[in-house]
Amino acid sequence: MEKLIVIAGTNASGKSGLGVELALRYGGEIVSADSRQVFRGLDLGSGKIAPEEMKGVPHHLIDVCDPGDFFSMHDFQRLAYGAIDGIIARGRLPFLVGGTGLYVACVTEGYVMSDNPPDLEYRAYLETFETPELFKMLVKAVPDTDVEPKNRNRVMRLLEKLHAGDDHVPHSQPRYECLKLGVTWDRETLKKRIDERLQRRLDAGMIDEVRGLIDRGVSVGFLKKLGLEYRYITQYLIGEIPSEAEMVELLATAIKQFAKRQMTWFRRDKGITWLDMTGNPVAQACEAIDGFLGEKF
């Protein structure tokens, strides 16, 4: 199997910058694994790397569809495979960098998914129900389901499969040999980094970015479903959160809770080598990459 370097981690951990530094050293290109950065115009809110921060390193799977378009994990995997294979064909080293755990896993584990096209009409019907109602529908059909009741996306996917009569059994078929490097900080440092990063993005115009998306016709429902920055700023702009100060406080708490969930997800993967970000993470990563590649790339 061809080799792939993975840099995964929490929000505000510095994984994007580390990915650029390593790609520069190894003649690599980066494939973004972020479920919101695929959308055009979602820049500050998604923490999208700025062109000048890329330092000339090619980045893939950023700005590949318009806000409101349907984009699934299956779409991501298909495009990521194409991007990674293209990088390898050019004799360069692919880096998969991001914090969306399912997007990382679908590539590194090689999830084999059903090719059945989505029933968008049925999906629109399901969207009219609150999550508890959807879960009751699922339990009625599959009484012994072990899905998390609050996991709306997962509950909807299972209902869609039942509706379509899709009996595909998910399994994995890894396509690449992966070196997985993890990036995070101790809890207090990460909280501080999250707060500082949030303030920088607010100062740069993140609220105006969301206002502009709404003005251009991007639906409030879509923005809320994106979560975090887009959900809370949208709620503030439409009056569901009364003040900017309250919105910022709620958002900062939500981002920290999300980072905790990210760590819970990634810590399950015992194959990840965690870098000491208080030391010299670039040197640590290079040592691991050199050993993985067998010789300097």
Side-chain angles (χ1 to χ4, degrees):
M1 291 188 289
E2 299 288 354
K3 295 189 175 184
L4 171 67
I5 311 298
V6 181
I7 302 173
T10 57
N11 275 359
S13 61
K15 56 187 178 294
S16 296
L18 178 62
V20 168
E21 292 304 317
L22 294 173
L24 285 170
R25 288 174 181 245
Y26 288 90
E29 299 183 23
I30 290 173
V31 177
S32 169
D34 187 290
S35 61
R36 301 187 302 174
Q37 292 183 6
V38 297
F39 295 104
R40 301 182 188 95
L42 274 62
D43 302 330
L44 292 169
S46 69
K48 198 175 291 179
I49 187 169
E52 62 272 16
E53 295 171 327
M54 295 179 182
K55 298 181 179 179
V57 173
H59 282 62
H60 306 269
L61 268 68
I62 293 176
D63 296 341
V64 297
C65 58
D66 291 323
D69 287 352
F70 175 72
F71 190 90
S72 67
M73 180 172 65
H74 191 282
D75 294 321
F76 173 80
Q77 185 194 57
R78 173 177 53 81
L79 293 176
Y81 281 167
I84 292 168
D85 291 347
I87 293 167
I88 292 168
R90 290 189 289 277
R92 297 172 67 79
L93 185 62
F95 288 80
L96 181 69
V97 180
T100 300
L102 272 173
Y103 278 19
V104 172
C106 76
V107 172
T108 60
E109 305 303 316
Y111 292 170
V112 178
M113 294 174 275
S114 171
D115 286 328
N116 288 346
D119 185 335
L120 298 182
E121 185 176 340
Y122 183 65
R123 176 169 294 150
Y125 166 72
L126 293 179
E127 287 284 9
T128 64
F129 294 92
E130 298 295 328
T131 303
E133 296 174 291
L134 292 172
F135 185 68
K136 286 180 182 178
M137 293 164 63
L138 180 61
V139 170
K140 185 176 180 180
V142 187
D144 60 347
T145 183
D146 61 355
V147 70
E148 164 59 43
K150 294 181 181 180
N151 189 335
R152 181 179 180 87
N153 288 338
R154 178 65 176 151
V155 170
M156 286 183 63
R157 282 198 298 271
L158 291 175
L159 286 170
E160 289 177 22
K161 287 186 66 173
L162 290 169
H163 177 73
D166 185 352
D167 58 359
H168 172 78
V169 178
H171 61 285
S172 297
Q173 188 173 326
R175 186 163 174 164
Y176 309 105
E177 182 182 356
C178 300
L179 170 65
K180 292 181 274 191
L181 304 175
V183 181
T184 192
W185 299 78
D186 66 86
R187 184 175 299 178
E188 291 308 313
T189 301
L190 184 60
K191 285 180 179 179
K192 182 179 179 182
R193 289 176 63 89
I194 286 172
D195 286 336
E196 291 173 347
R197 180 173 180 255
L198 175 57
Q199 190 58 55
R200 286 197 302 271
R201 291 184 293 157
L202 288 167
D203 292 343
M206 186 162 61
I207 294 174
D208 287 336
E209 173 178 286
V210 179
R211 183 182 287 112
L213 290 167
I214 295 172
D215 290 345
R216 291 197 297 275
V218 178
S219 77
V220 165
F222 172 78
L223 291 169
K224 284 185 175 182
K225 197 161 72 169
L226 289 171
L228 296 180
E229 295 85 353
Y230 294 102
R231 174 186 297 163
Y232 285 91
I233 294 175
T234 296
Q235 288 179 308
Y236 163 62
L237 291 174
I238 65 176
E240 291 181 359
I241 298 175
S243 71
E244 181 177 334
E246 183 177 347
M247 180 273 290
V248 172
E249 182 178 355
L250 290 170
L251 176 55
T253 299
I255 295 172
K256 290 163 190 169
Q257 292 171 340
F258 178 69
K260 184 178 180 180
R261 292 195 298 274
Q262 284 179 303
M263 279 307 302
T264 299
W265 172 278
F266 288 123
R267 289 290 188 194
R268 292 194 209 122
D269 188 342
K270 302 306 179 185
I272 294 179
T273 298
W274 291 94
L275 303 175
D276 179 6
M277 298 301 289
T278 63
N280 189 336
V282 173
Q284 294 172 50
C286 288
E287 182 178 358
I289 293 171
D290 288 344
F292 176 66
L293 298 177
E295 58 183 22
K296 291 195 182 294
F297 191 77

